[in-house]
Amino acid sequence: MYQATLSRRSYRFSDLRQLMAKASPARSGDYLAEVAADSAEERMAARITLAEVPLKTFLQQLLVPYEQDEVTRLIIDSHDALAFAPISHLTVGDFRDWLLSEQADSAMLAQVATGITPEMAAAVSKLMRNQDLILVAKKCRVITRFRNTIGLPGHLSVRLQPNHPTDSLQGIAASMLDGLLYGSGDAVVGINPASDSLPLLEKLNHMLDDVIQRFAIPTQSCVLTHVTNTLRLIERGAPVDLVFQSIAGTEAANAGFGINLALLAEAQQAALSLNRGTLGNNVMYFETGQGSCLSSNAHHGVDQQTCEARAYAVARHFSPLLINTVVGFIGPEYLYDGKQIIRAGLEDHFCGKLLGLPLGCDVCYTNHAEADQDDMDTLLTLLATAGLTFLIGVPGADDIMLNYQSTSFHDALYIRELLGLKHAPEFADWLTKMHITDDLGRLRDTAANHPLLLALQGEQP
């Protein structure tokens, strides 16, 4: 039992799970799950109480039972006690103060990352203002490699997302080349297919690989189909670079996705066996999003932001090249408006980076949410200031297959110019070699006989 008194009123919280939920910033998903604070005063009482909880408590009072949940078992069994030692004496409030101190520099944050559990990260985020989330995330350095180097300080990568509602190879190729000519694609060229047809998925893999190999592009491709489909594609000899899967923070929610830890491990080993990376062997790509556990009735009474942070434990176990939160994609039932989406995006980025992950973000919203592109401009700018690993690039910011609003190739140009952010270095060299950018990284005018344009027309360069 936890309790606090505010304005002569006593507030009681039955356990750590309820305390965490009541301390969360207001969001529609927690109200839907009936775990949110009933008032701003109760929320503040919960935060004051949470600040006094020792970090060690999260290793003893588990929010999701160990016996019932393999994600909990992963978190506890893989906890690095040596990495935790420098912060093991802190309370949640002390942890916030330490994270904001000069002592917690990039090297120290990397040293303690494997000692921080998702619940610890989620707890401290609930005590932080937006500026706190930005400042600490900026100090976290996470670098991954496959065919290029992602996550270097002062750099920002872009996933080129050339989706098409009918999986038209010509339509996908047009969007892909459009993005490349705008300098996008150094994170990954990743397609969300409309179909689960293995022959079609195989064609998509070959098309992406053909373009990458033909023009010697230092990037990687991914067809974002279910992990079991990717395993079949590998068995069929398809040129698979990255294995994709949506993941969540509880065993039951992952079961709703048709996955478990053993299946992800099998897929990782299959991808590693192909040995397609030239600079590194980070072969996994994960997507997450607040609300996924609630939408599958698999949240165990845990607030949605803490469930999201638990998904990062799954991702961390498999050393991904990329992971991104699709922050506004699940809908207003979970994040109602621009204010909630912005806060959730900053929380997700902070927690992921703190846990040692290459966290990116699909800065996005659905058309029935109380949000607009100005809100996305705000979130993009805040995240990039906070050291975002990568964002999504969609033609015109409008994904015509998934039917939602994201960020465009032009948005990537804006944020690079605003903050002086660079492409992955290997990709930057390729852009210069292909006369897409000049020596300073600025876009050049593209002539009609550019090799990429001729390729789109089916001509030989």
Side-chain angles (χ1 to χ4, degrees), residues 379-413:
L379 179 54
L380 170 61
T381 305
L382 294 175
L383 285 171
T385 303
L388 184 70
T389 303
F390 73 102
L391 70 148
I392 308 299
V394 177
D398 182 8
D399 191 303
I400 59 174
M401 195 284 283
L402 292 173
N403 195 28
Y404 78 116
Q405 307 304 309
S406 185
T407 44
S408 70
F409 307 138
H410 299 80
D411 293 328
L413 296 177

PDB file of all heavy atoms in Angstrom, residues 379-413:
ATOM      1  N   LEU A 379       6.320  17.856 -32.867  1.00  0.00           N
ATOM      2  CA  LEU A 379       6.920  16.631 -32.339  1.00  0.00           C
ATOM      3  C   LEU A 379       8.209  16.292 -33.075  1.00  0.00           C
ATOM      4  O   LEU A 379       9.211  15.912 -32.451  1.00  0.00           O
ATOM      5  CB  LEU A 379       5.922  15.473 -32.434  1.00  0.00           C
ATOM      6  CG  LEU A 379       6.438  14.111 -31.942  1.00  0.00           C
ATOM      7  CD1 LEU A 379       6.976  14.198 -30.516  1.00  0.00           C
ATOM      8  CD2 LEU A 379       5.338  13.050 -32.047  1.00  0.00           C
ATOM      9  N   LEU A 380       8.212  16.422 -34.394  1.00  0.00           N
ATOM     10  CA  LEU A 380       9.422  16.147 -35.168  1.00  0.00           C
ATOM     11  C   LEU A 380      10.575  17.026 -34.700  1.00  0.00           C
ATOM     12  O   LEU A 380      11.701  16.552 -34.504  1.00  0.00           O
ATOM     13  CB  LEU A 380       9.153  16.367 -36.652  1.00  0.00           C
ATOM     14  CG  LEU A 380      10.378  16.347 -37.570  1.00  0.00           C
ATOM     15  CD1 LEU A 380      11.088  15.000 -37.515  1.00  0.00           C
ATOM     16  CD2 LEU A 380       9.979  16.683 -39.010  1.00  0.00           C
ATOM     17  N   THR A 381      10.298  18.307 -34.514  1.00  0.00           N
ATOM     18  CA  THR A 381      11.351  19.236 -34.114  1.00  0.00           C
ATOM     19  C   THR A 381      11.874  18.898 -32.719  1.00  0.00           C
ATOM     20  O   THR A 381      13.086  18.916 -32.472  1.00  0.00           O
ATOM     21  CB  THR A 381      10.820  20.681 -34.159  1.00  0.00           C
ATOM     22  OG1 THR A 381      10.283  20.947 -35.471  1.00  0.00           O
ATOM     23  CG2 THR A 381      11.917  21.678 -33.850  1.00  0.00           C
ATOM     24  N   LEU A 382      10.975  18.574 -31.807  1.00  0.00           N
ATOM     25  CA  LEU A 382      11.392  18.212 -30.449  1.00  0.00           C
ATOM     26  C   LEU A 382      12.204  16.925 -30.448  1.00  0.00           C
ATOM     27  O   LEU A 382      13.240  16.830 -29.776  1.00  0.00           O
ATOM     28  CB  LEU A 382      10.166  18.065 -29.551  1.00  0.00           C
ATOM     29  CG  LEU A 382       9.356  19.338 -29.276  1.00  0.00           C
ATOM     30  CD1 LEU A 382       8.104  18.999 -28.476  1.00  0.00           C
ATOM     31  CD2 LEU A 382      10.192  20.368 -28.538  1.00  0.00           C
ATOM     32  N   LEU A 383      11.756  15.922 -31.189  1.00  0.00           N
ATOM     33  CA  LEU A 383      12.461  14.646 -31.215  1.00  0.00           C
ATOM     34  C   LEU A 383      13.840  14.775 -31.854  1.00  0.00           C
ATOM     35  O   LEU A 383      14.816  14.193 -31.374  1.00  0.00           O
ATOM     36  CB  LEU A 383      11.632  13.599 -31.965  1.00  0.00           C
ATOM     37  CG  LEU A 383      10.431  13.030 -31.218  1.00  0.00           C
ATOM     38  CD1 LEU A 383       9.582  12.165 -32.153  1.00  0.00           C
ATOM     39  CD2 LEU A 383      10.863  12.206 -30.003  1.00  0.00           C
ATOM     40  N   ALA A 384      13.916  15.512 -32.937  1.00  0.00           N
ATOM     41  CA  ALA A 384      15.214  15.686 -33.584  1.00  0.00           C
ATOM     42  C   ALA A 384      16.175  16.434 -32.667  1.00  0.00           C
ATOM     43  O   ALA A 384      17.370  16.122 -32.614  1.00  0.00           O
ATOM     44  CB  ALA A 384      15.051  16.422 -34.906  1.00  0.00           C
ATOM     45  N   THR A 385      15.670  17.396 -31.926  1.00  0.00           N
ATOM     46  CA  THR A 385      16.490  18.092 -30.938  1.00  0.00           C
ATOM     47  C   THR A 385      16.981  17.126 -29.868  1.00  0.00           C
ATOM     48  O   THR A 385      18.089  17.258 -29.339  1.00  0.00           O
ATOM     49  CB  THR A 385      15.676  19.225 -30.286  1.00  0.00           C
ATOM     50  OG1 THR A 385      15.209  20.118 -31.301  1.00  0.00           O
ATOM     51  CG2 THR A 385      16.524  20.010 -29.302  1.00  0.00           C
ATOM     52  N   ALA A 386      16.157  16.110 -29.569  1.00  0.00           N
ATOM     53  CA  ALA A 386      16.482  15.126 -28.541  1.00  0.00           C
ATOM     54  C   ALA A 386      17.369  13.994 -29.050  1.00  0.00           C
ATOM     55  O   ALA A 386      17.647  13.061 -28.304  1.00  0.00           O
ATOM     56  CB  ALA A 386      15.190  14.545 -27.972  1.00  0.00           C
ATOM     57  N   GLY A 387      17.801  14.065 -30.312  1.00  0.00           N
ATOM     58  CA  GLY A 387      18.703  13.041 -30.828  1.00  0.00           C
ATOM     59  C   GLY A 387      18.008  11.846 -31.446  1.00  0.00           C
ATOM     60  O   GLY A 387      18.517  10.723 -31.367  1.00  0.00           O
ATOM     61  N   LEU A 388      16.881  12.061 -32.077  1.00  0.00           N
ATOM     62  CA  LEU A 388      16.140  10.979 -32.730  1.00  0.00           C
ATOM     63  C   LEU A 388      17.037  10.207 -33.694  1.00  0.00           C
ATOM     64  O   LEU A 388      17.803  10.804 -34.448  1.00  0.00           O
ATOM     65  CB  LEU A 388      14.953  11.572 -33.495  1.00  0.00           C
ATOM     66  CG  LEU A 388      13.993  10.596 -34.171  1.00  0.00           C
ATOM     67  CD1 LEU A 388      13.182   9.826 -33.141  1.00  0.00           C
ATOM     68  CD2 LEU A 388      13.064  11.361 -35.126  1.00  0.00           C
ATOM     69  N   THR A 389      16.909   8.877 -33.676  1.00  0.00           N
ATOM     70  CA  THR A 389      17.743   8.049 -34.558  1.00  0.00           C
ATOM     71  C   THR A 389      17.270   8.116 -36.004  1.00  0.00           C
ATOM     72  O   THR A 389      18.076   8.278 -36.920  1.00  0.00           O
ATOM     73  CB  THR A 389      17.728   6.590 -34.078  1.00  0.00           C
ATOM     74  OG1 THR A 389      18.178   6.541 -32.722  1.00  0.00           O
ATOM     75  CG2 THR A 389      18.631   5.721 -34.932  1.00  0.00           C
ATOM     76  N   PHE A 390      15.975   7.982 -36.230  1.00  0.00           N
ATOM     77  CA  PHE A 390      15.451   8.066 -37.595  1.00  0.00           C
ATOM     78  C   PHE A 390      13.976   8.417 -37.578  1.00  0.00           C
ATOM     79  O   PHE A 390      13.288   8.259 -36.565  1.00  0.00           O
ATOM     80  CB  PHE A 390      15.694   6.767 -38.376  1.00  0.00           C
ATOM     81  CG  PHE A 390      14.820   5.599 -37.969  1.00  0.00           C
ATOM     82  CD1 PHE A 390      13.723   5.220 -38.733  1.00  0.00           C
ATOM     83  CD2 PHE A 390      15.110   4.857 -36.832  1.00  0.00           C
ATOM     84  CE1 PHE A 390      12.933   4.143 -38.376  1.00  0.00           C
ATOM     85  CE2 PHE A 390      14.333   3.774 -36.464  1.00  0.00           C
ATOM     86  CZ  PHE A 390      13.239   3.407 -37.243  1.00  0.00           C
ATOM     87  N   LEU A 391      13.492   8.921 -38.699  1.00  0.00           N
ATOM     88  CA  LEU A 391      12.086   9.207 -38.903  1.00  0.00           C
ATOM     89  C   LEU A 391      11.626   8.529 -40.175  1.00  0.00           C
ATOM     90  O   LEU A 391      12.412   7.878 -40.864  1.00  0.00           O
ATOM     91  CB  LEU A 391      11.822  10.710 -38.957  1.00  0.00           C
ATOM     92  CG  LEU A 391      12.337  11.470 -40.180  1.00  0.00           C
ATOM     93  CD1 LEU A 391      11.409  12.643 -40.500  1.00  0.00           C
ATOM     94  CD2 LEU A 391      13.736  12.012 -39.921  1.00  0.00           C
ATOM     95  N   ILE A 392      10.357   8.681 -40.467  1.00  0.00           N
ATOM     96  CA  ILE A 392       9.756   8.040 -41.640  1.00  0.00           C
ATOM     97  C   ILE A 392       9.624   9.058 -42.768  1.00  0.00           C
ATOM     98  O   ILE A 392       9.261  10.210 -42.535  1.00  0.00           O
ATOM     99  CB  ILE A 392       8.371   7.465 -41.295  1.00  0.00           C
ATOM    100  CG1 ILE A 392       8.447   6.565 -40.063  1.00  0.00           C
ATOM    101  CG2 ILE A 392       7.800   6.700 -42.486  1.00  0.00           C
ATOM    102  CD1 ILE A 392       9.339   5.351 -40.192  1.00  0.00           C
ATOM    103  N   GLY A 393       9.912   8.623 -43.985  1.00  0.00           N
ATOM    104  CA  GLY A 393       9.731   9.463 -45.162  1.00  0.00           C
ATOM    105  C   GLY A 393       8.696   8.861 -46.092  1.00  0.00           C
ATOM    106  O   GLY A 393       8.886   7.769 -46.629  1.00  0.00           O
ATOM    107  N   VAL A 394       7.566   9.567 -46.252  1.00  0.00           N
ATOM    108  CA  VAL A 394       6.457   9.120 -47.091  1.00  0.00           C
ATOM    109  C   VAL A 394       6.176  10.204 -48.129  1.00  0.00           C
ATOM    110  O   VAL A 394       6.198  11.390 -47.790  1.00  0.00           O
ATOM    111  CB  VAL A 394       5.186   8.885 -46.235  1.00  0.00           C
ATOM    112  CG1 VAL A 394       3.999   8.492 -47.099  1.00  0.00           C
ATOM    113  CG2 VAL A 394       5.444   7.816 -45.175  1.00  0.00           C
ATOM    114  N   PRO A 395       5.936   9.858 -49.376  1.00  0.00           N
ATOM    115  CA  PRO A 395       5.621  10.885 -50.371  1.00  0.00           C
ATOM    116  C   PRO A 395       4.461  11.770 -49.917  1.00  0.00           C
ATOM    117  O   PRO A 395       3.356  11.275 -49.658  1.00  0.00           O
ATOM    118  CB  PRO A 395       5.241  10.076 -51.619  1.00  0.00           C
ATOM    119  CG  PRO A 395       5.957   8.772 -51.455  1.00  0.00           C
ATOM    120  CD  PRO A 395       5.942   8.500 -49.977  1.00  0.00           C
ATOM    121  N   GLY A 396       4.704  13.065 -49.773  1.00  0.00           N
ATOM    122  CA  GLY A 396       3.653  13.987 -49.393  1.00  0.00           C
ATOM    123  C   GLY A 396       3.146  13.819 -47.982  1.00  0.00           C
ATOM    124  O   GLY A 396       2.120  14.399 -47.611  1.00  0.00           O
ATOM    125  N   ALA A 397       3.790  13.008 -47.166  1.00  0.00           N
ATOM    126  CA  ALA A 397       3.407  12.722 -45.771  1.00  0.00           C
ATOM    127  C   ALA A 397       2.118  11.928 -45.656  1.00  0.00           C
ATOM    128  O   ALA A 397       1.644  11.671 -44.555  1.00  0.00           O
ATOM    129  CB  ALA A 397       3.290  14.018 -44.951  1.00  0.00           C
ATOM    130  N   ASP A 398       1.549  11.502 -46.785  1.00  0.00           N
ATOM    131  CA  ASP A 398       0.255  10.808 -46.794  1.00  0.00           C
ATOM    132  C   ASP A 398       0.473   9.373 -47.271  1.00  0.00           C
ATOM    133  O   ASP A 398       0.720   9.150 -48.454  1.00  0.00           O
ATOM    134  CB  ASP A 398      -0.717  11.550 -47.714  1.00  0.00           C
ATOM    135  CG  ASP A 398      -2.110  10.933 -47.740  1.00  0.00           C
ATOM    136  OD1 ASP A 398      -2.370  10.023 -46.926  1.00  0.00           O
ATOM    137  OD2 ASP A 398      -2.927  11.363 -48.568  1.00  0.00           O
ATOM    138  N   ASP A 399       0.395   8.420 -46.354  1.00  0.00           N
ATOM    139  CA  ASP A 399       0.572   7.020 -46.743  1.00  0.00           C
ATOM    140  C   ASP A 399      -0.739   6.507 -47.340  1.00  0.00           C
ATOM    141  O   ASP A 399      -1.731   6.322 -46.633  1.00  0.00           O
ATOM    142  CB  ASP A 399       0.978   6.175 -45.533  1.00  0.00           C
ATOM    143  CG  ASP A 399       1.440   4.788 -45.942  1.00  0.00           C
ATOM    144  OD1 ASP A 399       0.654   4.076 -46.599  1.00  0.00           O
ATOM    145  OD2 ASP A 399       2.573   4.401 -45.593  1.00  0.00           O
ATOM    146  N   ILE A 400      -0.723   6.270 -48.644  1.00  0.00           N
ATOM    147  CA  ILE A 400      -1.955   5.918 -49.345  1.00  0.00           C
ATOM    148  C   ILE A 400      -2.329   4.448 -49.192  1.00  0.00           C
ATOM    149  O   ILE A 400      -3.419   4.041 -49.598  1.00  0.00           O
ATOM    150  CB  ILE A 400      -1.850   6.261 -50.850  1.00  0.00           C
ATOM    151  CG1 ILE A 400      -0.678   5.508 -51.494  1.00  0.00           C
ATOM    152  CG2 ILE A 400      -1.715   7.760 -51.041  1.00  0.00           C
ATOM    153  CD1 ILE A 400      -0.589   5.675 -52.994  1.00  0.00           C
ATOM    154  N   MET A 401      -1.446   3.645 -48.586  1.00  0.00           N
ATOM    155  CA  MET A 401      -1.782   2.250 -48.319  1.00  0.00           C
ATOM    156  C   MET A 401      -2.297   2.082 -46.897  1.00  0.00           C
ATOM    157  O   MET A 401      -3.363   1.508 -46.665  1.00  0.00           O
ATOM    158  CB  MET A 401      -0.569   1.349 -48.564  1.00  0.00           C
ATOM    159  CG  MET A 401      -0.908  -0.145 -48.669  1.00  0.00           C
ATOM    160  SD  MET A 401      -1.270  -0.969 -47.121  1.00  0.00           S
ATOM    161  CE  MET A 401       0.365  -1.185 -46.456  1.00  0.00           C
ATOM    162  N   LEU A 402      -1.574   2.622 -45.923  1.00  0.00           N
ATOM    163  CA  LEU A 402      -1.986   2.492 -44.523  1.00  0.00           C
ATOM    164  C   LEU A 402      -3.007   3.556 -44.118  1.00  0.00           C
ATOM    165  O   LEU A 402      -3.600   3.472 -43.048  1.00  0.00           O
ATOM    166  CB  LEU A 402      -0.754   2.584 -43.618  1.00  0.00           C
ATOM    167  CG  LEU A 402       0.223   1.402 -43.725  1.00  0.00           C
ATOM    168  CD1 LEU A 402       1.480   1.681 -42.908  1.00  0.00           C
ATOM    169  CD2 LEU A 402      -0.428   0.107 -43.266  1.00  0.00           C
ATOM    170  N   ASN A 403      -3.203   4.559 -44.959  1.00  0.00           N
ATOM    171  CA  ASN A 403      -4.244   5.577 -44.756  1.00  0.00           C
ATOM    172  C   ASN A 403      -4.059   6.342 -43.451  1.00  0.00           C
ATOM    173  O   ASN A 403      -4.955   6.412 -42.600  1.00  0.00           O
ATOM    174  CB  ASN A 403      -5.638   4.939 -44.809  1.00  0.00           C
ATOM    175  CG  ASN A 403      -6.725   5.981 -44.976  1.00  0.00           C
ATOM    176  OD1 ASN A 403      -6.492   7.042 -45.548  1.00  0.00           O
ATOM    177  ND2 ASN A 403      -7.922   5.681 -44.466  1.00  0.00           N
ATOM    178  N   TYR A 404      -2.878   6.920 -43.287  1.00  0.00           N
ATOM    179  CA  TYR A 404      -2.619   7.781 -42.138  1.00  0.00           C
ATOM    180  C   TYR A 404      -1.620   8.843 -42.551  1.00  0.00           C
ATOM    181  O   TYR A 404      -1.059   8.790 -43.645  1.00  0.00           O
ATOM    182  CB  TYR A 404      -2.100   6.959 -40.945  1.00  0.00           C
ATOM    183  CG  TYR A 404      -0.633   6.559 -41.040  1.00  0.00           C
ATOM    184  CD1 TYR A 404       0.295   7.034 -40.114  1.00  0.00           C
ATOM    185  CD2 TYR A 404      -0.160   5.708 -42.043  1.00  0.00           C
ATOM    186  CE1 TYR A 404       1.642   6.674 -40.180  1.00  0.00           C
ATOM    187  CE2 TYR A 404       1.169   5.336 -42.110  1.00  0.00           C
ATOM    188  CZ  TYR A 404       2.063   5.833 -41.189  1.00  0.00           C
ATOM    189  OH  TYR A 404       3.395   5.477 -41.258  1.00  0.00           O
ATOM    190  N   GLN A 405      -1.389   9.811 -41.679  1.00  0.00           N
ATOM    191  CA  GLN A 405      -0.516  10.929 -41.992  1.00  0.00           C
ATOM    192  C   GLN A 405       0.797  10.786 -41.230  1.00  0.00           C
ATOM    193  O   GLN A 405       0.802  10.588 -40.015  1.00  0.00           O
ATOM    194  CB  GLN A 405      -1.182  12.248 -41.608  1.00  0.00           C
ATOM    195  CG  GLN A 405      -2.576  12.419 -42.189  1.00  0.00           C
ATOM    196  CD  GLN A 405      -2.610  12.279 -43.696  1.00  0.00           C
ATOM    197  OE1 GLN A 405      -1.827  12.931 -44.389  1.00  0.00           O
ATOM    198  NE2 GLN A 405      -3.492  11.454 -44.199  1.00  0.00           N
ATOM    199  N   SER A 406       1.904  10.907 -41.938  1.00  0.00           N
ATOM    200  CA  SER A 406       3.218  10.742 -41.332  1.00  0.00           C
ATOM    201  C   SER A 406       4.086  11.945 -41.698  1.00  0.00           C
ATOM    202  O   SER A 406       3.580  13.065 -41.819  1.00  0.00           O
ATOM    203  CB  SER A 406       3.847   9.415 -41.807  1.00  0.00           C
ATOM    204  OG  SER A 406       5.070   9.166 -41.167  1.00  0.00           O
ATOM    205  N   THR A 407       5.377  11.735 -41.870  1.00  0.00           N
ATOM    206  CA  THR A 407       6.282  12.805 -42.280  1.00  0.00           C
ATOM    207  C   THR A 407       6.802  12.532 -43.683  1.00  0.00           C
ATOM    208  O   THR A 407       6.869  11.387 -44.131  1.00  0.00           O
ATOM    209  CB  THR A 407       7.465  12.936 -41.297  1.00  0.00           C
ATOM    210  OG1 THR A 407       7.967  11.630 -40.964  1.00  0.00           O
ATOM    211  CG2 THR A 407       7.036  13.627 -40.031  1.00  0.00           C
ATOM    212  N   SER A 408       7.169  13.592 -44.369  1.00  0.00           N
ATOM    213  CA  SER A 408       7.515  13.496 -45.787  1.00  0.00           C
ATOM    214  C   SER A 408       9.020  13.613 -46.000  1.00  0.00           C
ATOM    215  O   SER A 408       9.783  13.918 -45.093  1.00  0.00           O
ATOM    216  CB  SER A 408       6.815  14.614 -46.563  1.00  0.00           C
ATOM    217  OG  SER A 408       7.388  15.877 -46.228  1.00  0.00           O
ATOM    218  N   PHE A 409       9.435  13.385 -47.245  1.00  0.00           N
ATOM    219  CA  PHE A 409      10.832  13.616 -47.626  1.00  0.00           C
ATOM    220  C   PHE A 409      11.214  15.079 -47.383  1.00  0.00           C
ATOM    221  O   PHE A 409      12.340  15.379 -46.989  1.00  0.00           O
ATOM    222  CB  PHE A 409      11.049  13.266 -49.100  1.00  0.00           C
ATOM    223  CG  PHE A 409      10.581  11.892 -49.485  1.00  0.00           C
ATOM    224  CD1 PHE A 409       9.900  11.683 -50.678  1.00  0.00           C
ATOM    225  CD2 PHE A 409      10.816  10.799 -48.669  1.00  0.00           C
ATOM    226  CE1 PHE A 409       9.478  10.417 -51.050  1.00  0.00           C
ATOM    227  CE2 PHE A 409      10.393   9.527 -49.024  1.00  0.00           C
ATOM    228  CZ  PHE A 409       9.722   9.335 -50.221  1.00  0.00           C
ATOM    229  N   HIS A 410      10.258  15.985 -47.611  1.00  0.00           N
ATOM    230  CA  HIS A 410      10.512  17.413 -47.407  1.00  0.00           C
ATOM    231  C   HIS A 410      10.684  17.728 -45.923  1.00  0.00           C
ATOM    232  O   HIS A 410      11.465  18.615 -45.558  1.00  0.00           O
ATOM    233  CB  HIS A 410       9.370  18.251 -47.988  1.00  0.00           C
ATOM    234  CG  HIS A 410       9.175  18.072 -49.453  1.00  0.00           C
ATOM    235  ND1 HIS A 410       8.497  17.007 -49.993  1.00  0.00           N
ATOM    236  CD2 HIS A 410       9.596  18.827 -50.505  1.00  0.00           C
ATOM    237  CE1 HIS A 410       8.493  17.104 -51.311  1.00  0.00           C
ATOM    238  NE2 HIS A 410       9.155  18.185 -51.649  1.00  0.00           N
ATOM    239  N   ASP A 411       9.950  17.024 -45.067  1.00  0.00           N
ATOM    240  CA  ASP A 411      10.113  17.239 -43.629  1.00  0.00           C
ATOM    241  C   ASP A 411      11.530  16.880 -43.191  1.00  0.00           C
ATOM    242  O   ASP A 411      12.113  17.534 -42.317  1.00  0.00           O
ATOM    243  CB  ASP A 411       9.107  16.394 -42.849  1.00  0.00           C
ATOM    244  CG  ASP A 411       7.679  16.833 -43.074  1.00  0.00           C
ATOM    245  OD1 ASP A 411       7.456  18.043 -43.279  1.00  0.00           O
ATOM    246  OD2 ASP A 411       6.773  15.969 -43.060  1.00  0.00           O
ATOM    247  N   ALA A 412      12.087  15.828 -43.795  1.00  0.00           N
ATOM    248  CA  ALA A 412      13.463  15.455 -43.478  1.00  0.00           C
ATOM    249  C   ALA A 412      14.431  16.555 -43.906  1.00  0.00           C
ATOM    250  O   ALA A 412      15.407  16.866 -43.194  1.00  0.00           O
ATOM    251  CB  ALA A 412      13.828  14.128 -44.155  1.00  0.00           C
ATOM    252  N   LEU A 413      14.179  17.160 -45.061  1.00  0.00           N
ATOM    253  CA  LEU A 413      15.023  18.266 -45.512  1.00  0.00           C
ATOM    254  C   LEU A 413      14.943  19.435 -44.533  1.00  0.00           C
ATOM    255  O   LEU A 413      15.955  20.073 -44.203  1.00  0.00           O
ATOM    256  CB  LEU A 413      14.597  18.730 -46.905  1.00  0.00           C
ATOM    257  CG  LEU A 413      14.747  17.723 -48.053  1.00  0.00           C
ATOM    258  CD1 LEU A 413      14.218  18.332 -49.339  1.00  0.00           C
ATOM    259  CD2 LEU A 413      16.197  17.300 -48.215  1.00  0.00           C
TER     260      LEU A 413
END
